[in-house]
Amino acid sequence: MKSFLFTIQFCLMAFMGVCNLNAQQMKVVFEGNETFHNVTKINVKGLFCKINLIASQQEDVLIQSKIEAMQDEDAYKTICLNDGGLLSVSVQVPGDGYASHAGEITISLPASIAIDIDNTSGYVELHDLKQANLNVVTTSGKITAKDSQGNIGMQSKSGNISVNNLKGDIKTSSYSGSQFINNLEGTITLDSPDGDITADNINGTLHISTIAGTQTITNVSGEIFQKSSSGAVKISNSKANITTQSLNGSVNLFDITGILNITTTKGVIAGS
């Protein structure tokens, strides 16, 4: 009986400990709001912070940042340095022993400024950018881009990439993350060894390559250059000249108008 009561008491104490832990909320440990003049390029190393890129009608670059953490650590901060037009933005964290944290950096920038972003787990979102010259790299952070135009490159190891309504020279690459590509116009290059790619409503030239990931391509006007190893490929409802190379994966074509050049080693070709 004593053993039974002890077990109940232990479980109650453990439950209360979990509740107290969940009740703790992260507190704001840093906030920044800075304006920079005569900027020609921006380099961002955001680590865990979400990066928001938005268009600005002003000539200056505005950077707003906020970092939250479970513990009140003075070491957290965003460091911005403008060296002859090159604006470097980085996130500083405690040397060791820091707790859970989250952050967000919003960058308002005029057209034509080149920007490179290198993030670890932080998400990256961009919208309404004009004449963009942008390259985004994350490890696991999701990348979302919409309503923009220019030269835009996006790369993630395991994070998903979602794109909607872009124009220009667009390149995406993911190792295992999925890609969702919609409403693009221009020269489009999509690559993923293991992640699936879904591309819809493309106007221009589409280069798409996977190894094991599946490809689902619909509503393309222009040209399609497709490569795959073992992943399945489905192309439908398109008016395009198609060149496809597949090793072992199946190739399915439906409602296609255009010149077809299909090569496969062991894969099955089907369509109507």
Side-chain angles (χ1 to χ4, degrees):
M1 184 65 179
K2 290 183 178 180
S3 176
F4 178 72
L5 291 175
F6 175 79
T7 302
I8 294 178
Q9 291 176 342
F10 178 80
C11 291
L12 287 173
M13 292 175 63
F15 176 76
M16 291 176 63
V18 171
C19 289
N20 289 333
L21 181 61
N22 290 334
Q24 295 180 9
Q25 294 183 346
M26 289 191 292
K27 60 188 70 175
V28 177
V29 295
F30 177 82
E31 286 187 285
N33 191 329
E34 298 181 81
T35 301
F36 298 91
H37 313 290
N38 302 318
V39 176
T40 57
K41 185 176 181 180
I42 305 174
N43 288 339
V44 182
K45 293 185 179 296
L47 296 179
F48 58 88
C49 289
K50 177 183 177 182
I51 308 297
N52 299 309
L53 298 181
I54 59 177
S56 172
Q57 300 300 319
Q58 306 297 321
E59 294 182 357
D60 298 332
V61 174
L62 173 63
I63 297 181
Q64 299 168 296
S65 57
K66 182 172 72 173
I67 300 176
E68 298 178 328
M70 292 294 292
Q71 298 177 358
D72 191 1
E73 292 277 0
D74 292 335
Y76 283 104
K77 63 180 61 178
T78 301
I79 300 175
C80 304
L81 298 174
N82 187 3
D83 183 9
L86 173 60
L87 177 59
S88 299
V89 181
S90 60
V91 176
Q92 177 180 290
V93 298
D96 54 8
Y98 53 86
S100 298
H101 48 217
E104 188 165 356
I105 301 172
T106 299
I107 304 176
S108 303
L109 69 161
S112 302
I113 291 183
I115 181 166
D116 289 338
I117 298 176
D118 186 354
N119 256 23
T120 305
S121 58
Y123 287 15
V124 178
E125 292 189 3
L126 62 104
H127 55 86
D128 298 321
L129 299 183
K130 308 302 180 185
Q131 298 177 335
N133 187 358
L134 170 68
N135 186 58
V136 178
V137 178
T138 71
T139 301
S140 58
K142 178 181 177 180
I143 303 173
T144 302
K146 62 181 181 179
D147 302 329
S148 298
Q149 64 182 37
N151 299 320
I152 302 175
M154 293 162 281
Q155 178 180 345
S156 183
K157 184 176 181 181
S158 58
N160 292 344
I161 299 176
S162 298
V163 172
N164 186 38
N165 194 26
L166 300 187
K167 295 181 180 180
D169 187 354
I170 313 299
K171 297 179 181 179
T172 68
S173 177
S174 60
Y175 184 79
S176 58
S178 298
Q179 297 186 32
F180 305 94
I181 312 298
N182 297 285
N183 304 314
L184 268 60
E185 181 178 338
T187 301
I188 318 301
T189 304
L190 314 176
D191 177 74
S192 182
D194 292 329
D196 297 339
I197 299 178
T198 301
D200 178 55
N201 196 20
I202 308 297
N203 186 5
T205 302
L206 172 63
H207 298 264
I208 181 168
S209 176
T210 60
I211 295 178
T214 62
Q215 301 178 21
T216 304
I217 305 167
T218 54
N219 299 310
V220 176
S221 297
E223 291 187 290
I224 301 174
F225 297 91
Q226 181 276 329
K227 291 184 179 181
S228 63
S229 181
S230 58
V233 177
K234 180 181 178 180
I235 306 175
S236 62
N237 300 324
S238 295
K239 295 181 180 180
N241 298 330
I242 301 174
T243 300
T244 178
Q245 297 179 340
S246 178
L247 185 60
N248 293 319
S250 61
V251 177
N252 296 275
L253 305 173
F254 301 97
D255 297 326
I256 303 297
T257 301
I259 300 173
L260 305 181
N261 184 1
I262 303 173
T263 303
T264 181
T265 303
K266 297 181 180 179
V268 177
I269 300 174
S272 61

